[in-house]
Amino acid sequence: MSGALADVPIRAIVRGLADAAARWADADFPPRVRVLEAIVARTGYTLPVVEYALDRLFEAITEPALAATIADELGSLDALDGFVARKGRSPARALSVGPVCIVSSRTTIGVAIPAAVFALCAKCDVVVKDREDHLVSAFFTSLVQEHDAFATAARAETWSGSHDARDISSFASVVAYGRNDTLAEIRAACAPEARFTGFGARASVGYITHEAFADERAAAALADGAARDLALYESEGCLSLHALFVERGGRVTPERFTELLAEALERAHVEFPPGERGAGASARLGSARALAAFRAAGGTGTVYGDEAARHLLILDPPSSDPPLLLPRALNLHIVDAPAEAATYLKSHGIALEALATSGLREDVVKMAVDAGAARIAPFGALQAPLMEGNHGGRPRVADYIRWITDDT
């Protein structure tokens, strides 16, 4: 099945995508400036947070990153242009799987763009369900300046609901982001033979070993990173810090670390001011704080926050308490070993997306692997995954191609 990019050399596609992204990485690029307020209005995030999100998104889409990822997964960029020799195997060519539909999520800014970029690298025609800010549409418009074929290959549309206003049964591959029930509906609307990739509700946590608390300077650096992971995007994304496990036995106590984290959050509020909070979120935050304060008065746990209620930290809550999942709110659990964190994650049915950690100690890595994590990252980098990484543990480009071999 041929698409608009079928006869365009892969290196020209990669270069065009990277050049367009480089223009979008410029804060003064007019299309980016025009879309900023629309993103702020849609998400409720403040302007510095949106600027950070766009920087991280477009600065990651570079020609070396795209080329290296494709070559790693397919063996060679040239496989997308013709048959290539393979050691001990028949020559093969990577062809487009066919038209791709990508359904964006409500919260994450530009989440569909990396998926669309790699689908275009696979020479697929791509349709993206855009959000109300029309970010994807604006990016696709800039692609046309790189190559005329992008005008047909990359299209952004808006429709109500997850799929009910758009027939998705004609797509060879469907990628969707959202709640698990929404993903089930989208999957049911796909053609039986279509490839479906769903990215559902997941959470990320942190784990700090006692060795990392060598001194207060080291602890303060970890606190700065954790504060950024917590504050960005109002803790809404799957890469936000949703729970933190802190080991006993370090030179800095968990109590002192939590004080440092509260101080770091004060600074984070300046760099990334809190966004709009609906009445429901504010009420739930108030209830969580009141319950924690009541328990603390009885000798269970400690509550940290500021007068403006911009953040809430609860140290050593009952293990029966699930993650707060509220804006800039975090439970910190004091533990002796990663096995306790593993038990907590399992008991609350938490699907783990990523683990922020202070070091790759073997038992910490095992906990992340056993919990199903797709990524391990240093504190402060949870919200900045690499373009070369496997989003959600999936291939970046291989999901969008089919192979044909030459056995003659």
Side-chain angles (χ1 to χ4, degrees):
M1 188 179 296
S2 297
L5 295 170
D7 297 324
V8 180
I10 181 57
R11 286 170 176 78
I13 295 172
V14 168
R15 184 167 56 253
L17 292 165
D19 287 350
R23 286 185 282 132
W24 274 86
D26 178 0
D28 295 324
F29 183 49
R32 170 170 164 161
V33 173
R34 288 193 292 269
V35 83
L36 276 176
E37 290 299 331
I39 298 176
V40 169
R42 180 180 71 81
T43 61
Y45 304 153
T46 53
L47 193 60
V49 173
V50 175
E51 291 276 20
Y52 175 89
L54 295 181
D55 286 346
R56 297 289 78 75
L57 172 62
F58 292 110
E59 288 174 1
I61 302 173
T62 66
E63 192 169 349
L66 296 180
T69 303
I70 295 168
D72 179 66
E73 292 189 10
L74 305 186
S76 168
L77 264 72
D78 295 329
L80 287 160
D81 288 338
F83 285 91
V84 295
R86 299 185 298 176
K87 186 176 181 180
R89 304 177 68 190
S90 299
R93 180 176 181 177
L95 298 172
S96 158
V97 72
V100 174
C101 178
I102 302 172
V103 182
S104 302
S105 67
R106 179 187 64 82
T107 54
T108 309
I109 297 170
V111 68
I113 288 179
V117 162
F118 281 107
L120 291 168
C121 286
K123 303 190 179 185
C124 299
D125 288 345
V126 178
V127 173
V128 173
K129 179 189 177 181
D130 209 354
R131 306 307 304 188
E132 296 85 347
D133 49 47
H134 302 296
L135 169 61
V136 178
S137 177
F139 177 65
F140 282 176
T141 298
S142 67
L143 287 179
V144 180
Q145 300 174 35
E146 303 297 331
H147 199 292
D148 291 342
F150 283 121
T152 302
R155 292 185 292 124
E157 302 177 0
T158 56
W159 64 83
S160 61
S162 57
H163 65 276
D164 44 359
R166 180 64 160 91
D167 181 8
I168 63 173
S169 63
S170 62
F171 290 95
S173 176
V174 176
V175 180
Y177 304 81
R179 300 189 309 269
N180 293 340
D181 56 343
T182 301
L183 297 183
E185 293 176 6
I186 297 173
R187 182 193 290 270
C190 296
E193 69 277 10
R195 300 181 185 181
F196 177 80
T197 305
F199 296 98
R202 298 175 73 88
S204 295
V205 303
Y207 192 96
I208 302 179
T209 64
H210 68 271
E211 295 95 339
F213 288 145
D215 54 43
E216 189 152 310
R217 170 182 277 186
L222 288 169
D224 284 336
R228 171 168 290 208
D229 294 334
L230 176 63
L232 279 169
Y233 316 124
E234 302 306 305
S235 311
E236 288 186 323
C238 63
L239 291 174
S240 296
L241 186 63
H242 295 114
L244 182 57
F245 302 92
V246 183
E247 279 188 350
R248 298 179 178 89
R251 293 182 179 178
V252 177
T253 66
E255 290 77 11
R256 177 55 184 154
F257 172 76
T258 310
E259 292 173 356
L260 292 171
L261 179 55
E263 294 169 6
L265 281 167
E266 293 285 352
R267 296 188 292 273
H269 298 327
V270 176
E271 184 179 7
F272 302 114
E276 294 180 5
R277 293 178 182 173
S282 296
R284 290 192 295 274
L285 271 169
S287 296
R289 183 184 182 91
L291 176 60
F294 175 78
R295 287 172 170 170
T300 301
T302 310
V303 184
Y304 300 79
D306 64 349
E307 293 182 0
R310 292 174 298 179
H311 64 262
L312 172 63
L313 302 177
I314 303 175
L315 176 64
D316 205 24
S319 61
S320 58
D321 283 6
L324 293 169
L325 302 181
L326 293 168
R328 307 192 185 211
L330 186 68
N331 284 337
L332 293 89
H333 301 272
I334 303 175
V335 298
D336 291 311
E340 294 177 53
T343 298
Y344 177 89
L345 296 173
K346 184 176 181 179
S347 66
H348 291 286
I350 296 171
L352 193 60
E353 176 66 24
L355 174 75
T357 182
S358 57
L360 294 181
R361 207 174 68 193
E362 185 176 349
D363 55 350
V364 177
V365 173
K366 183 179 185 304
M367 181 267 288
V369 171
D370 291 346
R375 179 168 168 258
I376 299 174
F379 281 97
L382 268 181
Q383 307 279 14
L386 298 176
M387 184 61 57
E388 302 94 313
N390 299 101
H391 179 68
R394 300 289 306 180
R396 284 293 200 175
V397 69
D399 279 348
Y400 304 116
I401 64 98
R402 64 180 181 87
W403 289 98
I404 180 172
T405 58
D406 179 5
D407 296 332
T408 60

